[in-house]
Amino acid sequence: MTTEPTITIAVLLPSSCNVNGDAENGAVLARRARARGLAVELVPVESVAELPSTVHAVVLGSCDDPSAPQVLEALRPFRDAFIAWVEAGVPVLAVANGWKLLTRRLELVPGSWVEGLAIIEGDAPLRRTRASDDLVVVPSGGLELDAPVLVGYENHGRDFRAGTGVESIGTVQHGRGNGDGTEGALVGPFVGTHLHGPVLAKNPELADRLLRLAITVAGGTSMLDESPELHALDEIAANARAQIVSALA
Amino acid sequence: MRYAPAILAGRAVRFLARLRKPGGGSAVPGLVVNRIAPGFLPDTLNAFPRGLVIVSGSSGKSTTTKMLVGILRAHGVSVFTNPSTANISQGLTSALLERADLRGRIDAELGVLEMDEGHGALIAPRLAPAHVILTNVSVDQIDRFHDAAMVARMLDAIAARSSTSLVLNGDDALIDAVAPGSDATRWRYGVSTAVLGASARGLGYSTTSSDRVDPGSGTVVEALDGDLVSITHRGETVRFRLPARGVHYAVDAAAALSGAAAILGPEFQLTIASESFRALTPVFGRGEVTTVRGVEVEFVLVQNPASFQLNVDSLAADTEQILVAVGSDVRDPSYLWPVDTSRLGRVALVSGSKAWEAALQLGYDGVEIDRIEPDLGTALDAFLALPAPSHGRKTVIFTADSMRRTRAHLGLASNDQDDA
Ligand SMILES: [Zn+2]
């Protein structure tokens, strides 16, 4: 039996970027890895100084709008790390404002734009009205999922206009998404999405996709075995998705 | 006699609503009166001889209102108050209808009203409160109003109307800063450094002030041991029992003491006030123990993530039979995910229209779940039929919508009105 490497999951700025429980996706990944017998280190990171020397998966949740300027400044020192992660194939999940702050520029208040971290090509103009609703997305081929839809909730004030080289994570079946019929941003191992809260718990296939990438960059060989406890959790998630989708019908 | 026809119409509808649905439908007659006589609500509320008191904030307002009314009545003041959660305009009008004479007057010296922040801000311009008591801006209001700053603005609009006193939570920086231009006297309450330090997860406020309230000039929770609290009000200390365990109840008690001192002036006596807590019974759904079908059940209301966490943390350690119900009032349960529910250990039933999403969170927190049954009636019947727990009480933890449905299903009368 080969010894699998420990998977290190960094959750960035959890004290300010967990408004809808998005930061909890780090714990979801950790739980799913441990259920497969993998060793995991789940590290909350409030500043670059706290970053572990190696990171195999990154979660950045959303902050609320009033704190966005401060969070943007707190994120700037992470720019080099983000670039290194995306180049090395480290999976990154960034949710709503957390993702928008990584774009080239975003409209903070009407007519007033600020430079984002420019990790993801594209910009984030303000919407006329806030998008707050269930969000159902048909995943794009690039995600390589079997699930017919990704299901969750969106609550955001900005659209996303993708720049060069940025794919969406899918097309919107219900909700607003990016504002042009697409949803999210997919760049290599990077996933940006408006699906907030426990998106990875509700959509376990997406979680396992990120986990496979994490295992690969960590140099592991785990195939993510069947796990009875995850089977039970994923059953609950399937019912939660079905409940949301059927309420929309 | 301006309001007589409207009041009579409202009473008739109230009667019909009661016939149709026992214990329910309290907002319907209010709707009728508000349409026939839109001035009824503000005119009636502004007519109390000793003035109007408004209690608002993200959480704790029901308990604070109940404690305050108890203290005021113990001082011999006659008080009109809205049954808690009947705090939307229609529900409030319905509550007023119960007590108003045909001229729209209420026979009470003082009105004490619990108002939710959104609704309070809407009707504040038409109200002239003498005293405003504000509890907190909790971090989790983003579900309904997308940021804390907006809640603070709403509370500011209510506070700005107060003519005589503002009773404010000094530990909550947003509350402490409301209505800077107001001439009203500012009364501050809060907790000691020791009590704050003992709350591992903080107090759930959007922004906690860096400084604590001075017990020499304000009202401060000095120590808390189970339900036994020590509070110092302007240098004088009292010790008494709270209606339930939990630091949030202690803070509510400090708010009520501070509010009563502001309202009563020289009439206020701290010992009379502390003794009034003995007569308090917990509000339905806030730790009330009721016998249902021969079984003792404790009901715990979850209003937001902060109260969810506090309730999970203050649950008696030996509680072995728990039902969790999350209803349609929680549009998106995502915001509950920062709550650590692992302490529940094992839950007999998860129910409500958001049962699956609630169960998903409990499951990821490592809580064992015996059964998920979205239909609340079925779940309650099954839960009550379970053999009596060997230790601890059967405990139902529910959100407001599930609370209403639970009450209707079990035919429970209560000192509460519907939360429409
Ligand atoms: Zn309201």
Side-chain angles (χ1 to χ4, degrees):
Chain A
M1 209 178 122
T2 55
T3 318
E4 288 286 322
T6 297
I7 307 293
T8 303
I9 302 168
V11 179
L12 305 188
L13 311 183
S15 67
S16 44
C17 295
N18 196 19
V19 284
N20 285 298
D22 319 301
E24 307 305 322
N25 287 298
V28 171
L29 283 177
R31 174 81 189 268
R32 299 188 71 81
R34 287 182 185 128
R36 271 70 168 255
L38 295 164
V40 178
E41 232 190 316
L42 181 63
V43 189
V45 175
E46 297 288 354
S47 70
V48 169
E50 293 173 25
L51 267 180
S53 52
T54 45
V55 169
H56 307 118
V58 178
V59 170
L60 171 60
S62 189
C63 62
D64 61 17
D65 282 335
S67 62
Q70 292 95 281
V71 173
L72 179 59
E73 292 321 308
L75 269 180
R76 285 200 196 282
F78 288 89
R79 184 162 195 272
D80 291 344
F82 268 108
I83 292 169
W85 290 327
V86 175
E87 282 177 357
V90 173
V92 178
L93 173 76
V95 179
N97 275 348
W99 154 40
K100 303 294 175 62
L101 294 174
L102 304 179
T103 63
R104 192 156 281 283
R105 41 181 224 134
L106 62 159
E107 194 178 8
L108 269 192
V109 290
S112 160
W113 291 77
V114 294
E115 302 285 313
L117 265 68
I119 308 295
I120 300 303
E121 284 296 339
D123 52 24
L126 273 174
R127 296 176 49 83
R128 216 169 293 149
T129 56
R130 210 171 163 78
S132 176
D133 198 359
D134 299 299
L135 178 57
V136 181
V137 176
V138 178
S140 76
L143 280 180
E144 297 173 314
L145 304 182
D146 292 328
V149 284
L150 299 168
V151 180
Y153 199 86
E154 62 179 332
N155 185 353
H156 57 99
R158 286 177 200 85
D159 284 336
F160 175 66
R161 291 190 298 231
T164 338
V166 178
E167 267 188 85
S168 72
I169 67 162
T171 54
V172 173
Q173 192 176 79
H174 178 94
R176 304 285 176 274
N178 292 344
D180 61 0
T182 67
E183 159 57 16
L186 182 62
V187 183
F190 177 95
V191 172
T193 183
H194 297 105
L195 289 163
H196 78 195
V199 49
L200 297 185
K202 272 189 197 160
N203 302 280
E205 268 197 54
L206 183 59
D208 285 352
R209 178 190 190 270
L210 299 181
L211 206 49
R212 275 192 200 92
L213 293 172
I215 292 165
T216 304
V217 289
T221 56
S222 166
M223 298 300 286
L224 295 184
D225 302 334
E226 278 283 309
S227 138
E229 62 168 296
L230 289 188
H231 187 76
L233 286 172
D234 293 352
E235 197 89 320
I236 295 173
N239 279 292
R241 293 196 305 274
Q243 193 277 324
I244 292 166
V245 170
S246 70
L248 296 174
Chain B
M1 294 292 283
R2 258 171 78 200
Y3 296 124
I7 289 168
L8 290 173
R11 283 194 179 143
V13 176
R14 163 167 274 276
F15 180 66
L16 288 175
R18 284 216 163 140
L19 285 183
R20 225 179 358 249
K21 188 177 157 212
S26 79
V28 182
L31 261 163
V32 174
V33 176
N34 282 343
R35 205 159 52 227
I36 301 174
F40 170 74
L41 184 64
D43 288 2
T44 304
L45 292 180
N46 292 332
F48 293 107
R50 291 187 68 165
L52 172 66
V53 182
I54 294 176
V55 182
S56 192
S58 294
S59 60
K61 46 192 181 286
S62 295
T63 307
T64 301
T65 301
K66 202 171 150 79
M67 289 171 169
L68 175 64
V69 168
I71 297 170
L72 294 169
R73 286 183 177 152
H75 283 80
V77 179
S78 69
V79 178
F80 167 81
T81 185
N82 55 329
S84 78
T85 71
N87 55 20
I88 64 165
S89 177
Q90 290 87 329
L92 188 51
T93 305
S94 296
L96 288 170
L97 280 170
E98 293 251 289
R99 289 277 301 270
D101 63 24
L102 292 183
R103 288 172 302 127
R105 290 297 160 107
I106 287 176
D107 182 26
E109 295 168 79
L110 191 73
V112 179
L113 296 185
E114 171 198 342
M115 263 181 209
D116 88 27
E117 55 282 18
H119 181 69
L122 276 180
I123 66 167
R126 297 191 289 152
L127 297 179
H131 314 276
V132 169
I133 301 172
L134 299 181
T135 59
N136 52 64
V137 177
S138 101
V139 263
D140 17 81
Q141 288 298 304
I142 40 162
D143 185 50
R144 290 158 60 213
F145 315 107
H146 62 263
D147 62 64
M150 189 186 289
V151 179
R153 280 197 298 280
M154 289 170 172
L155 293 176
D156 195 83
I158 299 169
R161 301 291 301 161
S162 184
S163 60
T164 309
S165 46
L166 283 172
V167 180
L168 305 173
N169 186 340
D171 291 327
D172 184 316
L174 291 176
I175 294 289
D176 208 23
V178 296
S182 171
D183 293 331
T185 306
R186 297 175 95 86
W187 297 66
R188 296 168 80 234
Y189 62 91
V191 302
S192 65
T193 307
V195 169
L196 183 65
S199 308
R201 303 176 212 268
L203 297 169
Y205 307 149
S206 172
T207 316
T208 301
S209 312
S210 48
D211 297 325
R212 307 277 64 79
V213 173
D214 168 22
S217 59
T219 310
V220 175
V221 177
E222 301 275 14
L224 184 64
D225 177 13
D227 59 0
L228 190 63
V229 68
S230 284
I231 295 182
T232 301
H233 171 74
R234 301 194 156 184
E236 192 188 339
T237 302
V238 277
R239 266 162 75 81
F240 56 93
R241 286 200 182 278
L242 297 165
R245 295 176 304 272
V247 66
H248 50 314
Y249 288 110
V251 175
D252 295 343
L257 288 171
S258 178
I263 293 161
L264 295 169
E267 277 175 67
F268 177 77
Q269 289 186 48
L270 191 56
T271 47
I272 293 179
S274 68
E275 275 159 26
S276 78
F277 280 83
R278 232 183 286 163
L280 279 186
T281 51
V283 182
F284 185 89
R286 283 112 175 143
E288 186 181 33
V289 179
T290 309
T291 302
V292 190
R293 298 178 191 165
V295 182
E296 263 200 356
V297 186
E298 183 163 347
F299 292 98
V300 178
L301 176 67
V302 164
Q303 291 169 297
N304 49 50
S307 78
F308 194 6
Q309 188 69 67
L310 287 164
N311 283 313
V312 167
D313 290 350
S314 56
L315 212 62
D318 60 354
T319 310
E320 67 166 38
Q321 237 176 61
I322 301 170
L323 181 152
V324 175
V326 177
S328 58
D329 52 321
V330 181
R331 179 68 184 84
D332 166 35
S334 293
Y335 80 142
L336 295 175
W337 274 70
V339 175
D340 177 3
T341 62
S342 56
R343 195 171 171 274
L344 295 176
R346 179 175 181 172
V347 162
L349 278 131
V350 182
S351 186
S353 58
K354 303 285 183 187
W356 295 108
E357 288 184 78
L360 191 59
Q361 175 178 2
L362 296 175
Y364 268 96
D365 280 350
V367 176
E368 268 184 77
I369 300 167
D370 294 342
R371 181 175 167 191
I372 302 167
E373 172 50 66
D375 183 81
L376 186 56
T378 308
L380 285 164
D381 293 344
F383 183 65
L384 292 172
L386 288 175
S390 56
H391 40 252
R393 269 189 211 104
K394 290 197 186 220
T395 299
V396 174
I397 300 172
F398 48 23
T399 65
D401 172 69
S402 298
M403 173 171 86
R404 193 177 66 233
R405 289 167 191 274
T406 296
R407 213 155 48 206
H409 183 78
L410 300 177
L412 292 177
S414 157
N415 51 354
D416 253 30
Q417 293 291 309
D418 264 30
D419 185 7

